[in-house]
Amino acid sequence: MGDVVAGSIFGLIITSIAIVVSAIFLNIVITSITLLLIAIILGTLCFASLGVLLASPSAHSPSHIMMFSSLVRFPLIFISGIFIPLPELSGSGKLLSYISPLTYLVDIFHASLNGTSFFPLTIDLLVLIVFTCSFLLIASLFHKRNMRKGL
């Protein structure tokens, strides 16, 4: 749990800096600061939990974990509505976007910045909470298994 908290704090700091700099230099208008703060907190918790999950299988070298992490995280960027808006995705791209936690986080960011979202906000928030809890549960199962094996 300490790893998740540390990762979340790091994510909060980096994200806060990026948002403040963007708001100042790019004149970004935030329509709902409360929603943005909730999104940042949920997002950092979710992706810190994903990081703990990706690091939980035993490996002989940290580079194996980093490569595995990149193989999982990098494609999420392309199917999550960052580069291609969700309404414009079709077929398997749209289906894959539904299983990405980043999709729901980006959707909340859209709602907090311009007031529109693809999904209802309650769905976005609930899905992020479910992903976070699922990542933590699965990671704890991996850690327990590793402890039993003495890894």
Side-chain angles (χ1 to χ4, degrees), residues 17-80:
I17 292 170
I19 288 174
V20 168
V21 169
S22 297
I24 292 170
F25 291 109
L26 300 176
N27 296 324
I28 293 176
V29 178
I30 300 170
T31 59
S32 175
I33 191 77
T34 305
L35 186 59
L36 183 63
L37 291 173
I38 291 169
I40 292 169
I41 292 168
L42 273 177
T44 57
L45 284 170
C46 184
F47 287 97
S49 300
L50 176 60
V52 168
L53 172 62
L54 294 175
S56 60
S58 59
H60 298 293
S61 171
S63 63
H64 292 126
I65 296 298
M66 292 305 296
M67 183 172 52
F68 177 62
S69 175
S70 295
L71 285 172
V72 171
R73 289 180 181 195
F74 190 65
L76 292 180
I77 295 169
F78 292 100
I79 63 167
S80 299

Side-chain angles (χ1 to χ4, degrees), residues 107-108 110-111 114-121 124:
D107 200 41
I108 298 171
H110 281 286
N114 63 24
T116 61
S117 64
F118 184 76
F119 301 106
L121 286 175
D124 288 331

Side-chain angles (χ1 to χ4, degrees), residues 79 89-99:
I79 63 167
L89 284 174
S90 61
S92 61
K94 188 168 245 178
L95 289 175
L96 288 173
S97 72
Y98 294 147
I99 60 169

